């Protein structure tokens, strides 16, 4: 008879690493609706919160501001004051949460509201855990939700970090966010170098604020938020390179001796740029492969992961869509044996070679940025490099050098049963904006106006004196100050800023396939009696400028005169530009879901100004039903992410001009 050892099965089981924080990026329409979504996601096994704020909140406008019209609740939750923050986290114990807030220009303010709400719950502020993104530098390069100029913005980043170091030691005061750099077309080397240059700019700003003995601890609280694209091996090697380079910088530049404080601590959302409108079900596999790049290598494993939904190239995902991405994480973390093993890639010669190659190129780029004076001084240069890199990426897809399944190869397929009559996305009821404005007005009418005025005066004095604005912001949050009022003080003290567009006036050297288009532009220009002129505009608060930049760049390369003033223009500003430049075609880019009201307003103003004969083309994430409505408004051409062939768009613009003037 065989005698079995009494050793229990659990004692023999391999020790498993703790899984990363599992999140979904969520928030929409109202604080009440978002609160219900958070509770539902937590019940499904999500282990951390990741809050998406709407564009007015991100750019410092109250919901009733003219610039917020049509944008309220579209791409995130509106948070205008402490009442909204209370509602957002009602019934969710903040002291037990790990909360990530994707907010940048208004980061000090939203963190102040979070602190005030947590204190009302009875939380110990020093025990709060989470992250505020708070990376303004990348906003000038990619996402576009900046408010003030770079130098005062850098000071505000440091204000948050200094305050958190003193009062909230478990809180990450900044995510250095390379995520949007890749979304803007950055190569892996650029993503490495630009993110690390941002981190050093912030730490250099912080260094004089704390005692030398305490500085390593503050260094240890800086975290990163990165992107993982479809090139799995390269992306995994990029993360290992990040680990090595950050350790090197912390040790050599800042003298941090404790290895724990030199750890590269990062969260990730995998690539949204590569999600396709065509055959969108293929995005499920893309998301899975991209997640593996930031989880398989133990040495470079993410601390937190949030995944986009399969249908984000179509619009706002539904709760079921988010659940699908959540389950993807949970299966990897809890069903597989991934967390039971050491690093699977240590000693792999191919991996080691690629990591060293990435590190070498990143160091060269970092040295170049340092020679320019660092990240702040090099913003214009970096922006131009990103636009050029994105142009190269798009051209490779157009020519087939880069394969995208369902887009430029294997394009024949079955209709997806996942896309229902509603388009397979979540629609935000336009009436909710009026409700949000009504609640905002009620809040303003019922607060202590003397306390608000005193709090705003104190905040302005602190900003003017160069004091840390966090204490005054927390007082203002408790007094009932609104998001727009807080940002209004920052605008008054520091001024507003318009970042570089990255679109050069000179033609690029990318000439492949453009000869026929250039001839067509020349012929059209001759018939018009002047050079064919295109005005590219981005009305509203949408800061996703990649598409507009690439249209402007390609149009310039074909020989058109191009006017592109950058992001976040009011309809009135666009109308003024049209009246001044008299373009032959108007191209409007809107990715925030606000296309119908903005286009309707611009069309109305064009009619009043007797300029309605100028054809309008529109680009963005536009559902099929909205395409019909835009056509009824008189839009000549509509382009969505499926229209990746820029040369075809250029040919369309020439044809529109010829037809409109024949």
């Amino acid at each position: 008879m065989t005698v079995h050892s009494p050793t229990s099965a659990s004692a023999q089981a391999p020790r498993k690493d703790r899984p990363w924080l599992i999140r979904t990026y969520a928030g929409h329409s109202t604080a009440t609706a978002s609160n219900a979504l958070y509770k539902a996601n937590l019940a499904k096994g999500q282990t951390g919160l990741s809050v998406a704020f709407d564009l007015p909140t991100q750019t410092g406008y109250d919901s009733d501001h003219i610039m917020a019209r049509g944008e309220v609740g579209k791409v995130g939750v509106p948070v205008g004051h402490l009442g909204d923050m209370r509602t957002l986290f009602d019934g969710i114990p903040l002291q037990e949460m790990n909360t990530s807030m994707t907010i940048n220009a208004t980061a000090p303010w939203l963190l102040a509201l979070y602190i005030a709400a947590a204190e009302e719950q009875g939380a110990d502020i020093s025990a709060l855990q989470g992250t505020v993104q708070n990376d303004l530098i990348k906003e000038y390069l990619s996402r576009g939700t900046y408010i003030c100029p770079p130098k005062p913005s850098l000071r505000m980043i440091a204000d948050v970090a200094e305050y958190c170091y003193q009062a909230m030691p478990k809180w990450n005061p900044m995510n250095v966010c390379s995520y949007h750099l890749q979304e803007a077309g950055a190569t892996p080397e650029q993503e490495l170098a630009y993110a690390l240059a941002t981190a050093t700019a912030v730490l250099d700003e912080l260094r004089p604020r704390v005692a030398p003995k305490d500085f390593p601890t503050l260094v240890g609280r800086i975290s990163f938020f990165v992107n993982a694209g479809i090139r799995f091996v390269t992306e995994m090697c990029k993360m290992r390179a990040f680990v090595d380079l950050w350790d090197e910088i912390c040790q050599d530049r800042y003298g941090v001796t404790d290895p724990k404080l030199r750890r590269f601590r990062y969260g990730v959302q995998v690539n949204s740029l590569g999600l396709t409108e065509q055959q969108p079900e293929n995005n499920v596999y893309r998301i899975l492969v991209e997640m593996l790049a930031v989880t398989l290598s133990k040495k470079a494993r993410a601390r937190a992961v949030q995944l986009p939904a399969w249908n984000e190239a179509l619009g706002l995902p539904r709760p079921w869509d988010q659940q699908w991405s959540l389950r993807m994480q949970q299966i990897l973390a809890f069903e597989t044996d991934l967390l039971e093993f050491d690093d699977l890639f240590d000693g792999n010669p191919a991996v080691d070679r690629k990591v060293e190659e990435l590190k070498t190129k990143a160091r060269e780029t970092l040295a170049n940025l340092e020679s320019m004076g660092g990240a702040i001084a090099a913003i214009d240069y970096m922006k131009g490099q990103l636009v050029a890199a994105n142009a190269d990426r798009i051209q490779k897809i157009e020519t087939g050098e880069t394969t995208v399944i369902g887009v430029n190869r294997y394009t024949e397929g079955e209709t997806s049963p996942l896309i229902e009559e509603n388009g397979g996305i979540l629609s935000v009821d336009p009436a909710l904006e009026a409700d949000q404005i009504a609640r905002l007005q009620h809040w303003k009418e019922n607060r202590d106006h003397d306390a608000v005025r005193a709090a705003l005066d104190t905040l302005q004095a602190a900003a003017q004196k160069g004091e840390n604005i966090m204490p005054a912001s927390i007082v203002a949050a408790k007094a009932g100050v609104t998001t727009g009022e807080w940002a209004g003080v920052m605008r008054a003290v520091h001024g507003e800023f318009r970042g570089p567009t990255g679109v050069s006036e000179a033609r690029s050297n990318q000439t492949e396939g453009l000869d026929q288009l250039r001839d067509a532009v020349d012929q059209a220009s001759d018939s018009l009696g002047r050079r064919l002129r295109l005005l590219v505009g981005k009305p509203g608060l949408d800061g996703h400028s990649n598409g507009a930049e690439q249209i402007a760049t390609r149009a310039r390369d074909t020989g058109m005169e191009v006017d592109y003033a950058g992001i976040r223009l009011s309809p009135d500003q666009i109308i003024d530009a049209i009246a001044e430049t008299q373009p032959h075609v108007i191209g409007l880019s809107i990715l925030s879901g606000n296309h119908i009201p903005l286009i309707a307003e611009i069309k109305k103003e064009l009619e009043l100004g007797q300029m309605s004969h100028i054809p309008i083309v529109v680009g963005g994430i536009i559902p099929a039903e909205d395409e019909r409505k835009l056509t009824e408004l008189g839009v000549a051409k509509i382009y969505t992410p499926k229209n990746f062939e820029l040369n075809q768009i250029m040919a369309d613009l020439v044809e529109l001009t010829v037809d409109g003037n024949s």
Side-chain angles (χ1 to χ4, degrees):
M1 183 176 70
T2 302
V3 178
H4 294 280
S5 166
T7 305
S8 68
S10 60
Q12 294 175 334
R15 180 181 177 185
K16 295 183 69 170
D17 292 333
R18 179 186 301 176
W20 53 88
L21 276 169
I22 296 174
R23 290 178 168 139
T24 53
Y25 181 53
H28 64 83
S29 61
T30 66
T32 299
S34 298
N35 174 262
L37 182 60
Y38 297 157
K39 288 175 178 175
N41 285 342
L42 290 168
K44 293 171 185 174
Q46 182 174 300
T47 55
L49 296 176
S50 183
V51 183
F53 296 97
D54 74 353
L55 287 175
T57 304
Q58 292 187 52
T59 51
Y61 293 109
D62 285 336
S63 297
D64 59 356
H65 193 279
I66 189 170
M67 287 297 292
R69 188 180 301 164
E71 306 276 13
V72 178
K74 284 283 177 64
V75 299
V77 57
V79 176
H81 47 75
L82 180 55
D84 285 339
M85 190 66 84
R86 283 183 196 132
T87 302
L88 187 64
F89 295 112
D90 180 51
I92 300 174
L94 295 183
Q95 189 165 320
E96 300 173 17
M97 285 294 106
N98 191 305
T99 305
S100 173
M101 295 194 289
T102 303
I103 199 79
N104 295 284
T106 52
W109 175 242
L110 271 294
L111 182 58
L113 290 175
Y114 188 86
I115 290 168
E119 285 187 337
E120 287 186 347
Q121 289 186 358
D124 177 1
I125 299 305
S126 66
L128 293 180
Q129 296 185 70
T131 303
V132 64
Q133 193 170 101
N134 198 26
D135 180 355
L136 265 297
I137 296 175
K138 75 98 171 54
E139 295 299 317
Y140 307 119
L141 303 178
S142 48
R143 183 61 184 89
T145 62
Y146 55 80
I147 297 174
C148 298
K151 287 187 177 179
S153 295
L154 181 62
R155 192 158 66 243
M156 281 189 266
I157 295 172
D159 285 352
V160 171
E162 182 186 22
Y163 176 83
C164 289
Y165 163 73
Q166 295 170 346
M168 301 168 67
K170 295 183 179 182
W171 191 272
N172 300 318
M174 185 197 185
N175 261 156
V176 180
C177 183
S178 71
Y179 174 83
H180 287 101
L181 300 179
Q182 187 177 129
E183 294 292 297
T187 65
E189 298 85 358
Q190 288 172 328
E191 189 178 345
L192 284 162
Y194 294 0
L196 293 169
T198 296
T200 58
V202 172
L203 288 175
D204 288 350
E205 176 77 14
L206 277 168
R207 203 171 192 173
R209 296 195 181 204
V210 298
K213 66 180 179 61
D214 295 332
F215 187 66
T217 302
L218 197 151
V219 172
R221 296 313 307 172
I222 299 297
S223 60
F224 290 74
F225 186 69
V226 305
N227 201 327
I230 196 63
R231 292 175 57 79
F232 164 77
V233 176
T234 298
E235 293 296 313
M236 185 271 294
C237 291
K238 179 190 75 180
M239 299 319 307
R240 291 172 71 93
F242 254 134
V243 169
D244 291 349
L245 290 168
W246 183 241
D247 184 82
E248 190 177 291
I249 288 170
C250 290
Q251 192 163 14
D252 297 347
R253 187 181 183 110
Y254 298 116
V256 180
T257 57
D258 186 345
K260 291 183 179 179
L261 299 178
R262 300 199 305 265
R263 285 177 181 164
F264 184 77
R265 300 160 56 252
Y266 79 99
V268 64
Q269 174 165 312
V270 306
N271 190 272
S272 292
L273 181 66
L275 301 183
T276 63
E277 182 179 355
Q278 303 94 317
Q279 300 180 16
E281 62 277 5
N282 295 344
N283 294 328
V284 174
Y285 309 118
R286 295 185 177 106
I287 293 165
L288 173 60
V289 170
E290 291 164 355
M291 176 177 63
L292 295 178
V294 295
T295 52
L296 287 188
S297 176
K298 181 176 179 178
K299 178 183 178 183
R301 184 170 294 149
R303 295 290 187 91
V305 177
Q306 60 191 46
L307 303 179
W310 68 280
N311 56 351
E312 286 194 20
L314 306 176
L316 192 65
R318 301 157 300 190
W320 182 87
D321 306 314
Q322 292 190 327
Q323 176 183 297
W324 199 2
S325 289
L326 178 65
R327 296 295 183 243
M328 203 182 298
Q329 293 201 57
Q330 291 169 329
I331 289 168
L332 182 64
F334 302 119
E335 290 192 24
T336 77
D337 56 356
L338 172 66
L339 299 177
E340 298 171 10
F341 290 89
D342 294 333
D343 199 293
L344 306 178
F345 300 97
D346 280 349
N348 183 308
V351 169
D352 290 345
R353 281 196 305 272
K354 185 62 179 177
V355 170
E356 288 306 314
E357 174 193 325
L358 289 169
K359 285 161 58 175
T360 298
K361 291 181 179 178
R363 289 191 191 102
E364 291 171 355
T365 304
L366 277 167
N368 186 32
L369 297 177
E370 194 76 14
S371 72
M372 297 179 188
I376 293 292
I379 283 172
D380 285 29
Y381 167 80
M382 290 191 288
K383 179 65 176 179
Q385 292 297 299
L386 289 176
V387 172
N390 203 21
D392 183 60
R393 180 191 69 84
I394 290 172
Q395 187 177 52
K396 286 178 178 176
I397 296 173
E398 287 182 288
T399 61
E401 182 179 345
T402 296
T403 295
V404 184
I405 303 302
V407 173
N408 62 3
R409 194 171 181 184
Y410 308 121
T411 55
E412 295 299 319
E414 301 295 329
T415 302
S416 172
L418 295 171
I419 300 177
E420 302 164 357
E421 290 183 4
N422 63 1
I425 56 174
L426 179 68
S427 298
V428 176
D429 185 351
L432 291 173
E433 180 170 323
D435 292 342
Q436 177 67 20
I437 291 172
R439 284 190 295 273
L440 172 68
Q441 292 172 344
H442 182 265
W443 175 269
K444 288 180 177 180
E445 291 167 0
N446 289 277
R447 57 188 179 168
D448 185 332
H449 298 286
D450 291 338
V452 168
R453 184 69 264 159
L456 288 171
D457 289 344
T458 300
L459 177 66
Q460 183 167 340
Q464 288 172 334
K465 294 175 184 176
E467 297 173 355
N468 192 311
I469 62 169
M470 280 304 300
S473 296
I474 295 169
V475 170
K478 294 176 179 178
V481 166
T482 67
T483 297
E485 290 166 341
W486 180 91
V489 170
M490 297 303 116
R491 286 181 164 97
V493 173
H494 302 303
E496 289 196 74
F497 181 72
R498 291 203 65 79
T501 67
V503 178
S504 169
E505 293 184 5
R507 291 182 181 181
S508 74
N509 58 6
Q510 294 183 331
T511 60
E512 184 178 350
L514 295 185
D515 289 343
Q516 281 188 312
L517 278 170
R518 287 178 172 175
D519 289 344
V521 170
D522 288 342
Q523 292 175 17
S525 298
D526 289 342
S527 67
L528 293 168
R530 63 186 176 101
R531 180 56 51 178
L532 194 161
R533 191 163 199 143
L534 168 69
L535 183 140
V536 179
K538 281 197 64 63
L541 297 179
D542 170 34
H544 283 114
S545 57
N546 299 344
E549 291 158 2
Q550 294 309 311
I551 291 292
T553 298
R554 185 63 60 86
R556 175 207 62 194
D557 287 349
T558 65
M560 297 184 198
E561 291 279 355
V562 179
D563 299 292
Y564 173 55
I567 62 172
R568 302 209 324 248
L569 299 173
S570 70
D572 286 347
Q573 288 174 315
I574 289 177
I575 292 296
D576 289 345
I578 293 168
E580 179 182 348
T581 62
Q582 292 295 306
H584 298 101
V585 186
I586 303 163
L588 302 177
S589 171
I590 308 164
L591 281 85
S592 65
N594 197 24
H595 36 270
I596 290 176
L598 284 170
I599 300 303
E601 184 172 353
I602 289 171
K603 285 288 292 182
K604 179 181 177 182
E605 293 299 322
L606 284 173
E607 290 171 3
L608 291 174
Q610 297 183 328
M611 296 181 288
S612 59
H613 62 283
I614 305 174
I616 292 179
V617 299
V618 176
I621 299 177
I622 301 171
E625 175 63 19
D626 287 357
E627 289 191 38
R628 182 184 62 79
K629 294 177 182 176
L630 289 173
T631 301
E632 291 173 355
L633 283 171
V635 171
K637 290 281 186 178
I638 298 165
Y639 301 102
T640 68
K642 68 178 180 291
N643 305 109
F644 66 95
E645 295 176 327
L646 295 186
N647 286 354
Q648 181 58 56
I649 296 175
M650 296 301 112
D652 291 347
L653 297 182
V654 174
E655 184 179 353
L656 278 174
T657 304
V658 172
D659 290 347
N661 290 272
S662 59

